[in-house]
Amino acid sequence: MTEINPTRYGCHECREDAELVMSDRATQGVRDLYHSHLRECRDCRKMHRLLYALYEGPVVPPPPTGMAEEKEFHAALRRAREEQPAPWYHKWSLRAGVTAMAGAAAALTLALFNVGPMSLGSDAETVADNTSPTALVEHDVVDDTATDGGIDHPAQSYGRVLGGDASVISMAKPERAVANTDTFGVGTRFQVDDEEALQVGMVGKIVANFTPGSDIEWTKATPSLIELEVHRGIAAVRYDRRPSDPILYVRTPTAVVRVIGTVFTVEVDENEETIVSVLRGQVDVLHPETNDLRAEVESGDRYEVATSSHGNVGRDEVEAALPLSNEVDVDSADFTDALTLADGHIPTSWNVPGLPEDAIQRTLLHVPAPTAEPTTIFEVPVTRRRVGQATRPFDDGAALVVDDEAGDLIDRLMVEVKETRGKELRAALDNCRKLYASQQTRFRAARCLSSFISEYGDEPAAVEGYLLVGILRMDYALDYRAADNAFEEFLRRAPRNHHSVEMAMYRLWLSATEDGRITEALHRGRRYLDRFPHGKYVGKILQRFEELKTDF
Amino acid sequence: MQSAENIAIAHVPPEGADVSQAGVCVLSREEQELLEGAKAGRHRALRQFYGTYQGQVRAHLFRLLGPDCEIDDLTQIVFARAFNALGSFQGNSTLSTWLYRITANTTHNLLRQRFRRDRVKTALNWFNAGRGTAVQSSRVEARDEAHRLLQRLRPDLREVFVLYHYEGLTLQEISDILGKPVSTVGDRLTRARKKLRELVSAS
């Protein structure tokens, strides 16, 4: 820039230089003159403000997230299918119509029209059925199943029983009863014990609590869709879904609940009516046949499908979902402090109308009764499973054998602590053990054990506490990072010949598998198989990883 | 979004991208994997593709059209067209540039139709706004006024201005997107700036 005479710097020069100044291409001298003029000239100040706003551009509103984002994606998919070019036979049938051929020709055209889609396979079928969201998803699923065969890897398409009791039957392979293992696959149907709830984890992403007497089936697990079917009872589900995770559908006789990611319960009462309650997030309730949207149920809402009525979430639903509470301090780097609120209090992120905000009072006792007509007092079904009764199909099912590893551990820990430390330590651990003993309070044992570890973690006798914390963090919070830390901490502290090393190594493998870190899981699986070729978890590892069988 | 203080920006290829000797920026490894999955119709890949680029598409539409009830619909149309055209995408440009091209093609006619339809109306509003300036100037946000000014720009000039200044693309990239020579793009940009300066001065 050449030197400019300040006395000649007026509005014209100012407007000429505005763009240079804003794009930071003006010299210091020009900038000084420009700003000096702005201070004196109101019109140029306005011009500057306007031009600045123009170059800065509008403030873009944030894009939709969660449910809205998912809907838009599916709408785009649907539109993509609709906009696909029409197949040749459509054009031909049109031409035939235009030339007004006789009845025989029209019949032939119609025949071609009808036969065409069948012969063209899935693409044409999708075009014909593109109004159904399920059809859209299933079309995608077919592709993925063929190539991937699971969520990301077939090893992830499994579930595990975390606690409780149920009679199970494998619907996928009815001829084969479920083996004596805590691991189950797609097609498993649970008839939950009348006295005790069943807690399961599925595909490493979903934790569910099935209330006593429930009858629930896991029908599908693909990269884009997981599906449960509730025949009877209450399924409380927690699904902290990441964007690339599959959508969850919960089917009942009268509705389909579409879940993007949330904490909710679905109940089918004795009249086969469906009630959906949402504690966190939002779900869509769809018509079971047409998949038309019936209702959007938001957190704090309880929706009865039969009457299309909304009410407040009630105590039964909160109670069913409470074992799934996992509010964590995400900023905590130390896994022992990670679990902050799974202590029997209702998490603050759950919307329970009428429940006090005060954390201390957020307990079941303070949950008001539902405002809606309480039509859903669930009675334990009459079709109970009894010893010696062998007439019902469920009696062909086998019981899942839960490896109550943590239960054994906590008992062993008690013994060791008893031998080495006094009453104080024992009392602390005894409290955790009591919490662990019941399915309804087991999730609270993690917090209790975390406190125990913080207090007594350096004691050699308390080393298994790390393992216990890891197991509970993994099973109930799906917090695989914290679980890995705990298992590795255990392996670091425990002697090499410690009797729980095998379990820790198995759990490390399981954590990587369920978290979808397949390469790491393969590595950990190999490490386990090398060290424990006759170990008790060999079968479970080989069950999920065909590729390890050859190595082994 | 690019700030006004830093209008001229140097474009750097995305990290991990392979830049050939001819200077053509091809896909990064992640983009290639994503593209292969999406071409195969894998739900997860399509979802990831959508998740990665929906912000870009939506923001671009917003900057072109302003607050508009059709943005949701247009976003869906852009992605629907992208999903259908994935098979023919050769990978000669980044996915981002390719999507800008689809967005430009999708909105081009709409912008022209609207511009023609609104020309008289805008002129009238402008006249009325001018009469009421003394009363309204303190109340009217500079940003809203800037948006109105931008809408008065001819669609072909507006496209270039938005792509260059708001989306931060180079003239070469804009040339690729619009299918026009770089000189034409540069000319349009200059004319857009000049026209806006005139509009600002007139306001």
Side-chain angles (χ1 to χ4, degrees):
Chain A
M1 288 286 150
T2 53
E3 206 163 304
I4 297 164
N5 185 352
T7 54
R8 288 189 183 172
Y9 200 89
C11 292
H12 178 73
E13 287 78 10
C14 178
R15 288 170 194 217
E16 285 290 315
D17 289 342
E19 204 182 318
L20 285 177
V21 172
M22 284 183 203
S23 60
D24 210 16
R25 287 181 286 148
T27 60
Q28 185 61 44
V30 171
R31 275 208 301 274
D32 290 345
L33 286 170
Y34 178 84
H35 288 296
S36 158
H37 179 79
L38 283 191
R39 277 193 291 274
E40 292 163 6
C41 179
R42 188 165 167 263
D43 284 349
C44 287
R45 267 206 308 277
K46 193 189 165 202
M47 178 277 304
H48 172 84
R49 207 167 47 236
L50 203 50
L51 208 56
Y52 185 91
L54 256 172
Y55 278 101
E56 192 186 37
V59 177
V60 179
T65 54
M67 185 78 79
E69 185 187 6
E70 211 59 45
K71 279 181 179 171
E72 187 173 89
F73 168 65
H74 283 279
L77 266 186
R78 204 159 39 238
R79 206 185 271 260
R81 303 237 161 84
E82 284 165 1
E83 287 183 2
Q84 272 173 351
W88 61 271
Y89 49 85
H90 282 190
K91 292 174 189 168
W92 195 32
S93 64
L94 183 64
R95 279 178 197 165
V98 169
T99 52
M101 287 178 73
L108 180 64
T109 310
L110 277 174
L112 278 170
F113 186 88
N114 289 331
V115 170
M118 287 162 65
S119 59
L120 284 175
S122 61
D123 275 350
E125 281 167 29
T126 313
V127 172
D129 194 24
N130 57 24
T131 51
S132 157
T134 318
L136 280 166
V137 173
E138 280 173 357
H139 167 76
D140 303 321
V141 165
V142 171
D143 288 347
D144 280 354
T145 310
T147 50
D148 296 334
I151 301 302
D152 252 344
H153 185 280
Q156 288 178 272
S157 304
Y158 287 88
R160 281 188 306 116
V161 172
L162 308 179
D165 194 8
S167 171
V168 296
I169 186 165
S170 169
M171 304 305 283
K173 294 173 182 170
E175 75 284 358
R176 204 179 69 185
V178 178
N180 289 340
T181 170
D182 62 346
T183 306
F184 56 86
V186 178
T188 304
R189 185 165 174 170
F190 305 92
Q191 192 184 36
V192 185
D193 188 83
D194 294 340
E195 307 297 330
E196 200 174 7
L198 178 75
Q199 287 151 20
V200 297
M202 283 174 282
V203 301
K205 301 170 192 299
I206 295 170
V207 189
N209 185 42
F210 304 152
T211 57
S214 298
D215 179 359
I216 291 158
E217 187 180 344
W218 184 20
T219 52
K220 193 174 281 183
T222 66
S224 59
L225 184 69
I226 298 172
E227 204 169 281
L228 286 175
E229 193 160 349
V230 180
H231 298 281
R232 189 179 62 232
I234 302 178
V237 179
R238 191 185 81 226
Y239 185 19
D240 297 316
R241 180 177 172 274
R242 289 172 294 185
S244 55
D245 284 340
I247 291 175
L248 170 66
Y249 272 29
V250 182
R251 287 188 180 275
T252 71
T254 56
V256 178
V257 180
R258 180 170 58 192
V259 184
I260 307 299
T262 182
V263 178
F264 68 100
T265 66
V266 177
E267 176 180 358
V268 176
D269 68 9
E270 64 270 32
N271 300 318
E272 292 206 335
E273 297 299 350
T274 305
I275 299 133
V276 181
S277 302
V278 180
L279 292 156
R280 198 182 69 205
Q282 183 188 338
V283 302
D284 285 348
V285 179
L286 313 175
H287 190 280
E289 285 157 14
T290 62
N291 276 314
D292 290 339
L293 184 67
R294 276 183 153 169
E296 289 178 343
V297 188
E298 295 185 339
S299 67
D301 263 11
R302 177 178 184 272
Y303 176 73
E304 292 189 26
V305 174
T307 56
S308 293
S309 60
H310 286 265
N312 288 341
V313 167
R315 196 174 297 164
D316 289 348
E317 292 87 25
V318 178
E319 188 174 9
L322 203 53
L324 312 178
S325 85
N326 76 323
E327 212 152 67
V328 296
D329 177 6
V330 289
D331 296 329
S332 170
D334 179 2
F335 66 89
T336 55
D337 296 333
L339 205 69
T340 56
L341 278 174
D343 58 352
H345 287 91
I346 296 160
T348 47
S349 61
W350 290 12
N351 182 1
V352 183
L355 189 69
E357 288 298 314
D358 183 2
I360 296 167
Q361 293 188 51
R362 290 181 70 86
T363 59
L364 267 183
L365 278 176
H366 294 95
V367 176
T371 51
E373 187 74 18
T375 56
T376 56
I377 301 168
F378 183 73
E379 293 176 4
V380 175
V382 289
T383 52
R384 294 177 188 225
R385 181 169 54 97
R386 297 193 191 286
V387 177
Q389 189 182 20
T391 51
R392 292 171 47 250
F394 267 110
D395 294 324
D396 296 335
L400 284 168
V401 176
V402 182
D403 296 331
D404 200 1
E405 303 149 344
D408 294 345
L409 272 175
I410 206 162
D411 288 340
R412 275 208 300 269
L413 193 54
M414 279 291 287
V415 173
E416 283 169 11
V417 164
K418 202 172 180 177
E419 285 168 359
T420 55
R421 289 292 293 261
K423 285 181 186 173
E424 182 195 1
L425 194 60
R426 219 164 50 229
L429 196 56
D430 198 34
N431 187 30
C432 302
R433 194 178 58 81
K434 279 179 191 160
L435 286 172
Y436 187 86
S438 164
Q439 283 308 311
Q440 301 306 320
T441 55
R442 182 172 286 189
F443 67 100
R444 293 168 54 188
R447 182 187 164 102
C448 177
L449 281 161
S450 293
S451 310
F452 174 80
I453 291 290
S454 330
E455 193 86 4
Y456 307 106
D458 290 335
E459 296 284 335
V463 70
E464 279 175 326
Y466 288 97
L467 194 48
L468 270 169
V469 169
I471 289 171
L472 291 167
R473 295 294 301 139
M474 180 177 159
D475 287 354
Y476 287 88
L478 301 181
D479 188 348
Y480 298 105
R481 181 183 62 87
D484 276 3
N485 284 344
F487 299 141
E488 277 161 7
E489 188 65 25
F490 167 79
L491 288 172
R492 198 175 63 76
R493 287 169 178 262
R496 193 175 155 74
N497 59 351
H498 194 283
H499 45 75
S500 293
V501 166
E502 182 182 1
M503 187 198 298
M505 289 184 71
Y506 160 71
R507 279 285 179 166
L508 269 174
W509 163 82
L510 192 58
S511 166
T513 306
E514 293 196 344
D515 200 23
R517 290 175 274 135
I518 300 302
T519 313
E520 205 172 337
L522 282 165
H523 174 68
R524 288 178 180 180
R526 282 195 189 97
R527 215 171 55 176
Y528 174 91
L529 293 173
D530 286 346
R531 182 146 177 206
F532 302 102
H534 305 291
K536 61 179 178 176
Y537 303 110
V538 168
K540 288 185 180 184
I541 293 173
L542 296 183
Q543 178 188 18
R544 295 205 191 194
F545 285 101
E546 287 284 329
E547 48 268 64
L548 289 180
K549 279 184 183 169
T550 47
D551 296 358
F552 188 58
Chain B
M1 188 172 57
Q2 188 184 0
S3 77
E5 285 83 357
N6 189 24
I7 291 170
I9 66 164
H11 275 273
V12 179
E15 203 172 321
D18 179 18
V19 181
S20 70
Q21 287 182 340
V24 180
C25 184
V26 295
L27 299 179
S28 66
R29 183 184 295 273
E30 292 78 22
E31 279 187 316
Q32 278 173 357
E33 284 172 3
L34 181 63
L35 184 64
E36 279 165 22
K39 275 183 175 176
R42 284 186 202 134
H43 183 279
R44 179 179 282 252
L46 289 170
R47 180 67 184 79
Q48 196 186 337
F49 175 77
Y50 166 80
T52 308
Y53 295 107
Q54 66 121 344
Q56 172 197 308
V57 170
R58 184 176 282 276
H60 182 45
L61 287 169
F62 185 86
R63 286 170 190 141
L64 264 181
L65 304 171
D68 194 301
C69 58
E70 284 187 47
I71 284 182
D72 288 348
D73 210 33
L74 284 167
T75 309
Q76 287 174 21
I77 291 172
V78 168
F79 276 100
R81 289 184 180 174
F83 290 159
N84 280 336
L86 274 167
S88 58
F89 178 59
Q90 300 294 316
N92 296 329
S93 65
T94 61
L95 283 170
S96 164
T97 305
W98 182 64
L99 272 172
Y100 275 125
R101 196 176 306 146
I102 296 175
T103 312
N105 291 337
T106 305
T107 52
H108 188 68
N109 286 341
L110 180 82
L111 285 175
R112 286 163 65 90
Q113 284 165 9
R114 281 194 183 179
F115 183 73
R116 278 199 294 269
R117 189 189 63 197
D118 295 343
R119 199 156 32 187
V120 177
K121 198 167 75 182
T122 311
L124 192 64
N125 287 345
W126 193 253
F127 174 71
N128 290 336
R131 289 174 67 199
T133 302
V135 185
Q136 292 185 0
S137 60
S138 59
R139 284 181 287 164
V140 176
E141 294 275 339
R143 210 180 288 278
D144 293 346
E145 205 166 338
H147 166 66
R148 278 202 299 275
L149 286 178
L150 197 64
Q151 298 305 307
R152 294 196 65 200
L153 212 54
R154 263 178 36 201
D156 52 346
L157 304 186
R158 199 192 316 167
E159 269 178 340
V160 173
F161 185 85
V162 167
L163 286 168
Y164 187 85
H165 286 297
Y166 298 166
E167 305 297 336
L169 301 180
T170 60
L171 294 183
Q172 181 62 54
E173 284 170 324
I174 299 170
S175 156
D176 292 343
I177 289 166
L178 300 179
K180 303 282 181 199
V182 175
S183 57
T184 307
V185 173
D187 177 53
R188 284 184 185 178
L189 185 62
T190 310
R191 278 159 54 209
R193 286 171 177 165
K194 191 178 169 198
K195 180 71 183 168
L196 282 173
R197 210 163 46 229
E198 284 170 15
L199 288 170
V200 167
S201 297
S203 75

